Amino acid sequence: KPQNLSNMVWAFATAGVHADKLFEVVANEAVQKQLRGFKPQDLSNMVWAFATAGVHADKLYETVANEAVQQQLQGFKPQDLSNMVWAFAT
């Protein structure tokens, strides 16, 4: 489930646990499924987690950015947007 993937990487990043392989698998899964089922908060939390953990996932970031634009940012709360912009800048 997309929210579970997002929550998992968020928890690892928040706890400061290095799990590069886990992050790689989550990024690949999300990109492969073209983010189907991910809600705006899931996307925001996921890229925040990658940035916080210092894990580079350019394809994931590109896919998330394209999805946000495609949705015309509908459903994104100010905090979601703030977290995403911070993640992209980091």
Side-chain angles (χ1 to χ4, degrees):
K1 184 174 175 179
Q3 184 179 5
N4 294 343
L5 294 176
S6 176
N7 288 348
M8 186 169 28
V9 292
W10 178 89
F12 274 76
T14 301
V17 176
H18 296 285
D20 290 344
K21 185 65 178 169
L22 170 69
F23 279 82
E24 180 184 333
V25 169
V26 169
N28 289 340
E29 179 75 9
V31 169
Q32 204 170 45
K33 292 192 175 191
Q34 299 177 344
L35 305 176
R36 275 190 305 281
F38 282 87
K39 296 177 182 172
Q41 185 177 0
D42 301 332
L43 298 175
S44 171
N45 288 348
M46 185 166 50
V47 294
W48 178 91
F50 275 77
T52 298
V55 177
H56 298 284
D58 293 337
K59 186 65 178 168
L60 174 65
Y61 282 19
E62 179 184 343
T63 304
V64 169
N66 288 339
E67 180 67 16
V69 169
Q70 201 169 40
Q71 290 182 21
Q72 297 180 338
L73 304 178
Q74 291 182 356
F76 287 88
K77 296 177 181 172
Q79 187 66 53
D80 299 333
L81 294 172
S82 174
N83 288 349
M84 281 183 24
V85 170
W86 176 84
F88 293 154
T90 300

